[in-house]
C-alpha cells in the first residue's frame, strides 16, 4: 500500500480521489446552503411575514378601538354611526388577526401567554365598553367609570400583550431576512479550495507527464470557476435585495409604531376629558405617546427622507398645537369648548 502511494499511478489515483471528495463536499455544502436560504424565504413569505402583519393588526386595531370608544363616549348621548362602525370594525379586525396568530401557536409556543391574555380579555373589554355606552346613553355618570376601567384593562394588560406578540413576530421576520441574506462564506471558501486543488492537480500532471493541458481537468476547472462565480453573484444579489427589504421592513415597523403611538396619544387625550378633572394619568399617557411619536417620525424621516415623512411631522406639530388649545380650554373650566376642540381635532 505504501509502495502504491509512492508510485506515480498511485499518486494520481489518490489525487483523483481527493478531487472527487472535495467536489462532492462543495456540492453538498452548497446544496444545503441553497436549501436553507429557500426555507428561510419560504418561511418569511408564507408564515412569518403574514403573522407579523396579523400581530401588527391586533396591536393597531385594539389601540384604535380604545381611542374610538373614548371619542364616541365623549360626544355624549348616542354616538355617531361612523364612530360606532369604526369601533366594531376594529374589534372584528382584532379578533380575526388574533385568530390567525393563534392558529400558528404550535410554531411559536413562547407566545402562549400573550395570546391567552388577548383572547381572554378582549370579550371583557368589549363588555365594559358596552356597559359604559349604555350608561352614557342614559346620562348616568357611572358610564365614565366603566370606560376608564376598560381603557385601564386595554393599556395595562392587552396592549402590552399585543406589543409582545408584534415584537416576537417582527423578530422572526428579521431573523429570516438575515438567514436569507448572509454571505455563504463556507461555500465560497470550499469552492476556492476546490479550484486551487484543480490547479495544483494540473501543475502536478504537467510536471509528471509533460502535458500542458489535461482536457478533463481543464473542463472541471472551468466548471468550478463558473460555479464559484455563480454562487458569488447570486449571493451578492440576494444580500443586496434582503438588505433593501430589511430597510423597508424597518421603515414599515417605524411607521406602524408611529401609528399606534398616535392612537395611544389620541386615546389619552380623549380619556383625560372623560375623567373630568381626574385624568392626570391619561394626560401622562398622551405626553409619553406624543414624545414617542415625535421620535419615531424623526427616525422614519432620517431613514426614508421622503416628503411623506415630512408631511407627517407637520401634521404632528399641528396636532400638538390643537392639544394645547384643548388643555387650555379644559384648565380654565370651559369643558364644552375643550370637548368641541378635541372632537374637531
Amino acid at each position: 500500500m505504501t509502495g502504491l502511494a509512492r508510485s506515480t499511478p498511485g499518486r494520481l489515483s489518490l489525487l483523483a480521489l481527493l478531487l472527487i471528495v472535495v467536489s462532492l463536499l462543495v456540492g453538498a455544502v452548497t446544496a444545503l446552503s441553497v436549501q436553507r436560504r429557500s426555507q428561510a424565504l419560504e418561511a418569511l413569505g408564507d408564515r412569518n411575514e403574514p403573522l407579523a402583519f396579523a400581530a401588527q393588526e391586533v396591536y393597531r386595531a385594539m389601540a384604535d378601538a380604545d381611542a374610538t370608544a373614548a371619542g364616541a363616549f365623549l360626544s355624549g348621548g348616542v354616538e355617531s354611526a361612523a364612530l360606532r362602525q369604526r369601533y366594531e370594525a376594529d374589534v372584528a379586525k382584532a379578533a380575526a388577526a388574533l385568530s390567525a396568530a393563534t392558529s400558528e401557536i404550535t410554531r411559536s409556543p413562547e407566545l402562549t401567554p400573550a395570546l391567552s391574555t388577548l383572547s381572554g380579555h378582549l370579550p371583557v373589554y368589549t363588555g365594559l365598553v358596552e356597559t359604559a355606552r349604555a350608561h352614557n346613553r342614559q346620562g348616568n355618570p357611572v358610564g365614565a367609570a366603566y370606560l376608564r376601567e376598560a381603557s385601564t384593562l386595554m393599556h395595562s394588560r392587552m396592549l402590552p400583550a399585543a406589543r409582545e406578540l408584534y415584537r416576537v413576530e417582527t423578530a422572526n421576520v428579521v431573523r429570516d431576512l438575515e438567514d436569507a441574506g448572509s454571505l455563504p462564506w463556507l461555500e465560497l471558501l470550499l469552492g476556492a479550495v476546490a479550484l486551487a486543488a484543480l490547479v495544483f492537480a494540473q501543475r502536478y500532471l504537467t510536471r509528471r507527464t509533460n502535458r500542458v493541458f489535461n482536457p478533463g481537468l481543464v473542463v472541471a476547472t472551468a466548471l468550478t470557476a463558473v460555479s464559484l462565480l455563480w454562487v458569488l453573484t447570486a449571493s451578492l444579489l440576494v444580500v443586496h435585495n434582503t438588505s433593501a427589504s430589511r430597510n423597508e421592513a424597518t421603515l414599515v415597523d417605524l411607521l406602524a409604531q408611529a401609528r399606534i403611538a398616535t392612537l395611544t396619544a389620541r386615546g389619552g387625550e380623549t380619556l383625560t376629558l372623560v375623567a373630568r378633572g381626574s385624568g392626570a394619568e391619561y394626560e401622562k399617557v398622551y405626553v409619553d405617546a406624543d414624545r414617542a411619536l415625535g421620535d419615531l417620525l424623526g427616525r422614519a424621516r432620517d431613514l426614508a427622507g421622503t416628503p411623506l415623512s415630512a408631511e407627517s411631522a407637520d401634521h404632528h406639530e399641528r396636532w400638538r398645537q390643537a392639544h394645547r388649545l384643548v388643555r387650555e380650554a379644559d384648565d380654565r373650566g370651559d369643558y364644552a369648548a375643550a370637548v368641541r376642540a378635541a372632537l374637531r381635532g
Side-chain angles (χ1 to χ4, degrees):
M1 187 69 177
T2 304
L4 180 63
R6 291 177 179 176
S7 65
T8 298
R11 289 178 178 177
L12 291 176
S13 298
L14 290 176
L15 185 59
L17 182 61
L18 176 64
L19 291 175
I20 291 173
V21 171
V22 171
S23 299
L24 291 176
L25 180 61
V26 173
V29 172
T30 303
L32 290 174
S33 175
V34 171
Q35 182 181 14
R36 177 178 59 82
R37 291 168 185 270
S38 298
Q39 289 175 344
L41 291 173
E42 183 179 354
L44 177 65
D46 294 344
R47 185 173 66 88
N48 288 335
E49 195 169 31
L51 285 178
F53 175 77
Q56 180 191 126
E57 187 68 5
V58 170
Y59 199 167
R60 183 212 63 80
M62 287 186 173
D64 190 55
D66 192 56
T68 303
F73 186 93
L74 194 62
S75 62
V78 180
E79 70 273 16
S80 69
L83 287 177
R84 183 63 185 173
Q85 290 173 1
R86 178 172 176 174
Y87 168 79
E88 291 177 346
D90 283 331
V91 172
K93 288 178 181 177
L98 187 58
S99 176
T102 304
S103 66
E104 295 290 337
I105 189 61
T106 55
R107 298 176 183 267
S108 302
E110 70 275 14
L111 292 177
T112 301
L115 291 173
S116 298
T117 297
L118 292 170
S119 300
H121 287 88
L122 184 57
V124 177
Y125 172 81
T126 55
L128 289 170
V129 170
E130 290 306 313
T131 303
R133 178 171 174 262
H135 283 288
N136 190 41
R137 293 181 66 179
Q138 298 172 15
N140 298 330
V142 73
Y146 280 103
L147 185 65
R148 290 198 299 271
E149 185 177 353
S151 184
T152 299
L153 177 64
M154 175 66 75
H155 287 273
S156 64
R157 302 294 299 276
M158 298 173 69
L159 287 182
R163 190 180 303 117
E164 175 65 12
L165 178 65
Y166 178 61
R167 183 192 66 79
V168 171
E169 294 299 348
T170 302
N172 288 338
V173 170
V174 173
R175 182 200 62 208
D176 287 339
L177 285 172
E178 290 177 349
D179 288 344
S182 59
L183 277 172
W185 295 110
L186 180 59
E187 300 95 289
L188 294 175
L189 177 61
L190 289 176
V193 168
L195 195 60
L198 286 166
V199 172
F200 170 79
Q202 290 183 82
R203 295 191 61 185
Y204 177 79
L205 285 176
T206 299
R207 288 197 303 268
R208 288 291 181 177
T209 64
N210 292 325
R211 294 181 62 182
V212 179
F213 297 109
N214 181 286
L217 290 177
V218 169
V219 172
T221 303
L223 291 176
T224 301
V226 170
S227 298
L228 189 61
L229 182 61
W230 175 81
V231 170
L232 179 61
T233 303
S235 299
L236 290 177
L237 287 175
V238 170
V239 169
H240 177 268
N241 291 333
T242 53
S243 177
S245 298
R246 192 156 45 241
N247 290 337
E248 291 178 1
T250 301
L251 179 59
V252 169
D253 179 49
L254 288 174
L255 294 177
Q257 292 186 53
R259 186 180 186 185
I260 293 166
T262 301
L263 295 171
T264 302
R266 176 61 175 169
E269 178 183 61
T270 307
L271 284 167
T272 302
L273 295 176
V274 171
R276 304 201 61 156
S278 58
E281 61 177 301
Y282 301 114
E283 177 62 16
K284 184 178 183 302
V285 169
Y286 167 83
V287 171
D288 293 341
D290 178 72
R291 186 183 300 113
L293 176 59
D295 177 64
L296 290 166
L297 290 177
R299 290 164 58 189
R301 185 170 59 253
D302 293 340
L303 182 62
T306 61
L308 178 62
S309 301
E311 184 180 357
S312 298
D314 180 62
H315 284 303
H316 181 215
E317 182 56 35
R318 281 191 282 173
W319 182 18
R320 282 178 167 173
Q321 296 174 4
H323 178 75
R324 283 194 288 270
L325 295 177
V326 171
R327 296 309 320 141
E328 289 173 1
D330 191 33
D331 291 341
R332 67 171 179 263
D334 194 349
Y335 181 77
V339 169
R340 287 195 300 271
L343 294 176
R344 183 173 59 251

